[in-house]
Amino acid sequence: MARTIIISEHGGPEVLTLSNREVGAPGPGEIRIRHAACGLNFIDCYQRSGLYPMQLPTALGMEAAGTIEAVGEGVTHLRPGDRAAYAAQPPGAYCEARVMPAAQVCPLPDAVDFDTAAAMMLKGLTVQYLFHRTVPLKAGDTVLFHAAAGGVGLIACQWAKSEGIKLIATAGSDDKCRRALEHGAAHAINYNTDDFAARVREITEGRGVDVVMDSVGASTFEGSLDSLRPCGMMISFGNASGPVPPFDIAKLAAKGSLQITRPTVFSHIAKHEDCQAMAKHLFEKVTSGAVRVQIDQRFALEDVRAAHEALEARKTTGSTILTL
């Protein structure tokens, strides 16, 4: 048996329930992992609320780290006793132990502790695909990154600096802007007090940025388009302020032949070999010191409701983990 957070209906944090569930043995292509910590992400809130509808009842959570207890037939990259971490479907990481598909579970270097791994897998793999798989970026390119003081954002600030990419950060307070700058952002804009699109034009001397990476959604979408150079790329990868409403695609032509994409990390890690290669790149960034994972909030598993409330109220910075 393992303590597990489940939902039986969509709704607010109050629908999160602590339950004891049987774990069982792994089948072919599966592993059983005992968690040391698990990560908290906005996608968890989207699934809980019903923005991303789920078949109910279901467990929640998309990333965690711990020790492999058993492996099923056909699993060759992991063995019992191995340290491991993952960001993967299906949901179910908010628990002490689980059985899950092995393909996206990654061997964890000894140099990366479990808390750090749980805090960085989904966020770090997201930054990896944004910078290396969605659009080819190179030293000297400019990127506008929204919500840059969050878990994904602080990793992105450091990743960009390590590769000579000029990252313009936005955040919702002066303190959060300061944190983005401390983590490698070239500029930071408080989008609650400044017109960020106008400031981007000032910073880039009217040109606009090469790429916008926007996880905020509805409230920043139009300004993000207005921040791009002609033929620039808009990457919309989240909905923290709500989903982007339908829009006239002809606007992209009128604003300079803009490009737009709506990717997810799970498309990029769907193939075992891609996932393992991306994780290896992430581990190299962390073990080299180029990226430091900032864990600013820790909640016990049984306090998951408070964790969701803090995340949705924009009261968190850096990464948040649930401890076991």
Side-chain angles (χ1 to χ4, degrees), residues 11 37 77 178 239 272:
H77 69 292
R178 177 186 56 78
N239 320 279
H272 169 74

Side-chain angles (χ1 to χ4, degrees), residues 66-299:
T67 304
I68 302 297
E69 290 190 328
V71 302
E73 181 183 352
V75 177
T76 59
H77 69 292
L78 294 164
R79 295 177 298 177
D82 282 353
R83 305 171 73 254
Y86 65 86
Q89 295 177 320
Y94 290 1
C95 66
E96 293 175 317
R98 69 184 292 200
V99 169
M100 64 181 294
Q104 281 70 46
V105 181
C106 305
L108 182 65
D110 291 341
V112 182
D113 64 77
F114 286 135
D115 282 7
T116 298
M120 77 180 192
M121 289 301 291
L122 191 143
K123 303 166 190 69
L125 291 173
T126 294
V127 174
Q128 201 281 340
Y129 88 73
L130 288 172
F131 279 79
H132 295 277
R133 294 173 60 90
T134 308
V135 62
L137 289 171
K138 61 186 184 301
D141 285 345
T142 55
V143 170
L144 174 64
F145 202 101
H146 290 300
V152 178
L154 292 183
I155 293 174
C157 290
Q158 297 171 81
W159 201 296
K161 185 176 181 180
S162 75
E163 299 190 353
I165 295 166
K166 181 178 180 180
L167 187 145
I168 302 171
T170 73
S173 71
D174 290 342
D175 182 60
K176 289 183 175 182
C177 286
R178 177 186 56 78
R179 299 202 65 192
L181 291 169
E182 290 173 350
H183 283 76
H187 302 273
I189 303 166
N190 182 339
Y191 53 46
N192 284 325
T193 57
D194 291 330
D195 180 338
F196 71 83
R199 285 284 295 119
V200 166
R201 291 291 171 182
E202 291 176 12
I203 292 167
T204 61
E205 298 179 342
R207 177 177 178 271
V209 296
D210 299 301
V211 179
V212 174
M213 299 178 180
D214 188 341
S215 65
V216 175
S219 66
T220 53
F221 183 74
E222 289 292 337
S224 292
L225 294 181
D226 289 338
S227 299
L228 283 166
R229 64 162 172 80
C231 302
M233 170 66 82
M234 164 73 168
I235 306 174
S236 176
F237 69 101
N239 320 279
S241 68
V244 175
F247 76 102
D248 181 0
I249 197 170
K251 283 186 176 181
L252 300 180
K255 291 179 181 289
S257 299
L258 303 182
Q259 305 171 70
I260 188 167
T261 184
R262 179 55 172 93
T264 73
V265 66
F266 302 108
S267 297
H268 286 278
I269 65 172
K271 293 182 179 179
H272 169 74
E273 57 272 22
D274 289 343
C275 180
Q276 299 298 322
M278 291 167 65
K280 183 179 179 181
H281 192 183
L282 171 60
F283 296 150
E284 289 169 352
K285 286 286 186 183
V286 173
T287 57
S288 72
V291 169
R292 293 179 297 105
V293 179
Q294 188 80 26
I295 303 172
D296 288 338
Q297 299 81 212
R298 287 177 166 85
F299 293 86

